[in-house]
Structure formats: C-alpha cells, structure tokens
Amino acid sequence: MGKLVVSKSWQESKLLWHIAFPAILTAVFQFSIGFVTVGFVGHIGAVELAAVAVVENVIEGFAYGVLLGMGSALETLCGQAVGAGQVDMLGVYIQRSWVICGATALVLTPTYLFTAPILRVLRQPGDIADVAGTYTRWVLPQLFAYAANFPLQKFFQAQSRVWVITFISGAGLAVHVVLNYVFVTRLGHGIFGAAIVGNVSWWLIILAQFGYLVSGCFPEAWRGFSALAFKNLAAFVKLSLASAVMLCLELWYYTAVIILVGVLRNAQLQVDVMSICINYQLWTLMIALGFNAAVSVRVSNELGANRPKAAKFSVIIAVLTSGFIGAIFMALFLIWRTELPRFFSEDEEVLREAAKLGYLLAGSIFLNSIQPVLSGVAIGAGWQSLVAFINIGCYYFVGLPLGALFGFKLKLDALGIWVGMSVGTLLQTAILLFISYRTKWEKQAMLAEERIREWGGRNDALPSTTQVALAVDEVDR
C-alpha cells in the first residue's frame, strides 16, 4: 500500500511539475517586468518610487485583477474541454475571452486617465498622486496587453504547452532590463522612459505569443477566427465575471492595504516600506501561482475526463509541494530580512522600517504558498462564485477592519495593517482547506460535463455520467 501511494505521488508530482515549473518561470518573468521597473525608478527618487509603487499596486493592480479574473473563466472551460477530448472548442473559447477582455480594458481606461484625482479621493499625498497620474497615462498600452495576454496563457496552459511561453517571457524580461538600463539609467529619461520601455516589453511578448498561436502548432485547437466567438457570450460573461470577482477580491486586498498605509502618519515612508514588502511577497507568490495554474489544469482536466479521485489526489500533492517550497522561502527571508530591501532603496530609514516587517513578511510568504493553490482548485472546479463570497468575508469584513484597528487605533502603523491583512488571509486559507476536504468530487465531475455541454460541447464526445451518478448516489447514502 505504501509503495502504491509513493508511486502515485511521484506520477502526480511529475504531471504537476510539467505544468508548474514553466508556469512559475513565466509568472516570475512577467511579474519581474514591474519588479525591475520599480527597482530602476526607486533610484530616481523617493517620490517616484512611491508613485510607481502606488500605480502598480492600486491602479494597475485593479486592472490586472479584473483582466486576470475575466481571463480565468477560460481556465475552467479549456481545462475541462481538454479533459473531455473536445480540443476543437479551445479556439472559439479564446476568441470569446479576447472579446470580453478587450471590452473590459476599454471600460477600465478612465481609471488610467484619471489616476491623479482618484488617488486624491483616496487621500494619497498630492505629490505622489501627481506623478502617478502622469505615469499611468504613459502606460495605458499595457492595459490592452494584459487583455490579450491572459486568454493566450490560459489557452496554452490548458494543453500543457507552456515552455515556449516561458522562453518568450524570459526574453521579454531580458529586453526590459537592457532597455531600462539604457533609457532610464544611462540616458536619464526618468519615469517617462520607464513607462515606454514597459509598453515595448509587454507588446513584444504579446506579439510573440500570438505568433506561436497561429504558427500551426495547434491544428486542432486553433482553426482561425470564427463568428462562433460571438455566440453564447452572455453565459461566458457570467462565468468570467464570477472569476473576476473572486480574483479581484484577492488582488485588491493588497490595493486596499496600500491605500490604508497612504493615510498613515509619514505616509511616504510608510508607502515605501509597505511597497518593498509587498513586492517581495508578490515575487514569491509567483511560485504559488505556478502551482495555482498547474492544479487548476490538473483538476479541470481530471473532472472533464470523469476522474474525480485523480482530481482530489492532485489537490493534496499540489498543496503539500507548494507549502514545502513556501517554508524554504520563509527561512530565507528570515535570514536576509535586513539586506533584501536594499534592492529598492538606499534610504536608511526606509531600510530600517522594512527590516522590522521582516518576521511578518516571512510568515505571510509561507501562508501565501498555500492559499493560491486552493484558489487554483476553485478555478479548475468552477467554484468562483462561492470563493468570491468567502473572500469578501475574510478580507473585507475581518482582515482590513483589523488592519485599520491595529494600524490607526493602536498606532502600530504599517506593522498593524500587515497583521490584520495576515489574519484575513489565514482565515480564508483555513476555510478553503475545509471546503476542499469536504468536497464530493464525483458531483464536481457531473457539473463539469454539464458545463461543457452548455458552452458548445459535442454530446457524443462526453464521458458517460451513468457511473458517476451511481457513485454520487452511493456516496450520499
């Protein structure tokens, strides 16, 4: 029995790592575009650092969350369609997602055009709001790059075809570093240069990914543009909105934290400190997001193929693996908590305050190695609406109020806000663990079949539900 478990664990680990490792690298490379931008801008000045950090965590974080969420509906549908043997539907699905994400980007455009007044309403310092408002107008093209990027990624991930995307993202990051060094550091074009370089880097990545899509490598999944992309959009929008709400509530949690910090005494210092910590947390979060993508693909594939026990086993292996990696990162951040902030700033006061948050940052990094994996399970199974309500309760009714209480009432400043944020994340993780443990996966397989049929699948290609229904009846008894 023990050998069988070890053998199954090894096989599942290989399947997970086949998707997770390139997905981790892709996420790290693409996130590092913003990471590198903040690093170069941070050496221009403290106001510029705070302004770009606020833009990335508030305005771009808002837009990024919406578009990632809208694109994540594709993760559920494509993964389950692949598992059910209906690869031909993927080309139609990605086009529907482009239509929806493109329209969403247009709706979000005013947030980029009116960043300065928005930040003033949110009580951010005036000098930071002014610089941020100028910067966001220059980086507007990146908004539409996000709208194109997420559907492309979900399309490739569902078929476990991710290495080419990893190489493209790595090359894009390398170009980004070189261009920033030339135009920001050497030629001194400041944040204008940083913004234009970011636009160029992102659109080079999008064009390369689209070239891969139409290159003939996906003869069954991509058969050219089709009018079917505009059919049944309402149902697609419904799942997209549920995905967007679920993921946005997670990403906006960090946005709300930055806004709270901006209202503290000595706001510029506090924003600089918090932005450094959040940037490191988000960087390590990319590892967990790789497993988020992998477990989402594995769960959706297995449910689509009517293998509920395999889906459950994949969840267990993914959580244990990501948690182990999170523990390693936690140890590294505890050891080097005083040195890591130097990448972003040379200000001794900023470095000293950031080091104080090192212990909490390390704990949060471990916690966030598990939570995104559970969110990936939710996406793979199609639980987006349920998790959205959980996120509202844990983050906005528990985490943020506690953060405000500790930060303002108890005068713990950024430390208190981070404690409140961590409590909310801990509660959400515990609830998702409980739900995953109590889930009846046989019923989830039946729901996956219904979802594929509703969104254009062929009945003759779907796995029979007879055995699943009998299994569910047996479990219910």
Side-chain angles (χ1 to χ4, degrees):
M1 184 65 181
K3 289 184 178 180
L4 180 62
V5 172
V6 171
S7 176
K8 286 182 63 179
S9 299
W10 175 247
Q11 292 300 320
E12 181 60 37
S13 292
K14 288 197 295 184
L15 289 171
L16 278 171
W17 277 107
H18 177 68
I19 305 168
F21 186 59
I24 288 167
L25 291 179
T26 301
V28 169
F29 290 151
Q30 293 194 357
F31 172 76
S32 294
I33 291 176
F35 190 82
V36 167
T37 299
V38 173
F40 276 96
V41 169
H43 295 281
I44 298 173
V47 173
E48 287 80 4
L49 170 62
V52 173
V54 167
V55 168
E56 290 199 355
N57 287 287
V58 178
I59 304 302
E60 286 191 328
F62 172 80
Y64 190 96
V66 172
L67 290 169
L68 175 61
M70 297 299 279
S72 290
L74 203 62
E75 205 163 344
T76 304
L77 297 176
C78 284
Q80 294 183 359
V82 168
Q86 300 203 28
V87 180
D88 57 302
M89 289 303 301
L90 269 61
V92 175
Y93 287 160
I94 190 175
Q95 291 173 62
R96 287 178 186 168
S97 190
W98 274 334
V99 170
I100 293 168
C101 288
T104 304
L106 282 174
V107 173
L108 292 171
T109 296
T111 62
Y112 277 61
L113 298 178
F114 300 104
T115 292
I118 290 171
L119 292 179
R120 287 195 186 93
V121 168
L122 296 174
R123 297 183 62 190
Q124 300 302 295
D127 53 348
I128 293 177
D130 289 337
V131 175
T134 302
Y135 180 77
T136 47
R137 288 194 293 272
W138 291 332
V139 297
L140 182 60
Q142 291 181 41
L143 173 64
F144 293 90
Y146 298 154
N149 182 58
F150 297 128
L152 282 164
Q153 282 195 343
K154 306 309 177 187
F155 176 90
F156 298 131
Q157 286 175 0
Q159 300 168 85
S160 302
R161 302 279 289 275
V162 285
W163 273 111
V164 172
I165 307 309
T166 301
F167 292 132
I168 290 172
S169 300
L173 175 62
V175 169
H176 186 68
V177 172
V178 172
L179 292 178
N180 265 291
Y181 176 74
V182 171
F183 289 97
V184 178
T185 301
R186 300 296 297 175
L187 299 180
H189 288 298
I191 63 168
F192 172 75
I196 301 305
V197 166
N199 294 340
V200 171
S201 301
W202 266 108
W203 276 103
L204 284 175
I205 290 172
I206 299 305
L207 291 174
Q209 287 185 135
F210 185 76
Y212 179 45
L213 174 70
V214 301
S215 65
C217 295
F218 303 91
E220 292 183 39
W222 177 261
R223 297 179 179 177
F225 292 99
S226 170
L228 287 174
F230 297 94
K231 184 180 178 183
N232 204 16
L233 273 178
F236 206 97
V237 168
K238 183 179 179 181
L239 183 59
S240 295
L241 285 173
S243 300
V245 170
M246 185 196 94
L247 287 172
C248 285
L249 289 171
E250 294 185 13
L251 293 173
W252 293 348
Y253 194 33
Y254 295 98
T255 300
V257 167
I258 285 289
I259 291 170
L260 276 179
V261 171
V263 185
L264 291 169
R265 301 166 297 155
N266 200 357
Q268 184 177 305
L269 170 64
Q270 300 292 341
V271 169
D272 284 347
V273 169
M274 187 63 81
S275 66
I276 288 172
C277 292
I278 286 180
N279 264 288
Y280 273 118
Q281 177 160 317
L282 291 177
W283 187 83
T284 57
L285 189 62
M286 298 303 108
I287 310 297
L289 288 180
F291 283 97
N292 171 290
V295 76
S296 173
V297 171
R298 292 289 301 125
V299 168
S300 60
N301 284 176
E302 297 297 353
L303 291 179
N306 189 12
R307 293 193 290 264
K309 288 184 178 180
K312 180 179 180 180
F313 190 68
S314 181
V315 173
I316 295 170
I317 298 299
V319 169
L320 291 177
T321 305
S322 186
F324 176 73
I325 294 172
I328 294 174
F329 271 105
M330 179 178 68
L332 292 175
F333 273 80
L334 284 173
I335 294 169
W336 287 320
R337 69 184 185 281
T338 60
E339 298 301 320
L340 290 171
R342 292 187 183 278
F343 177 83
F344 290 101
S345 179
E346 297 165 358
D347 187 305
E348 289 300 323
E349 189 176 11
V350 171
L351 296 175
R352 186 169 56 255
E353 292 299 318
K356 288 181 181 177
L357 285 177
Y359 296 103
L360 274 174
L361 174 61
S364 297
I365 284 170
F366 174 72
L367 194 58
N368 279 287
S369 68
I370 297 173
Q371 184 272 335
V373 178
L374 298 174
S375 292
V377 175
I379 292 171
W383 301 339
Q384 288 93 328
S385 297
L386 171 63
V387 178
F389 285 109
I390 294 171
N391 289 349
I392 290 174
C394 296
Y395 292 158
Y396 299 91
F397 290 163
V398 177
L400 287 179
L402 283 178
L405 174 65
F406 297 149
F408 294 96
K409 191 72 174 177
L410 301 182
K411 301 187 185 303
L412 295 176
D413 295 333
L415 177 66
I417 291 175
W418 194 285
V419 170
M421 178 182 76
S422 299
V423 171
T425 304
L426 178 62
L427 180 60
Q428 189 244 24
T429 303
I431 293 173
L432 289 182
L433 278 172
F434 179 77
I435 290 174
S436 298
Y437 175 74
R438 295 297 301 271
T439 292
K440 295 180 179 178
W441 291 96
E442 293 80 5
K443 285 187 177 181
Q444 297 303 317
M446 293 180 66
L447 291 172
E449 179 178 336
E450 293 172 10
R451 189 177 293 115
I452 296 167
R453 183 180 290 111
E454 178 183 354
W455 279 309
R458 304 186 314 278
N459 290 340
D460 60 344
L462 294 171
S464 171
T465 60
T466 304
Q467 293 181 343
V468 181
L470 291 173
V472 172
D473 289 342
E474 185 67 29
V475 170
D476 287 343
R477 291 194 203 106

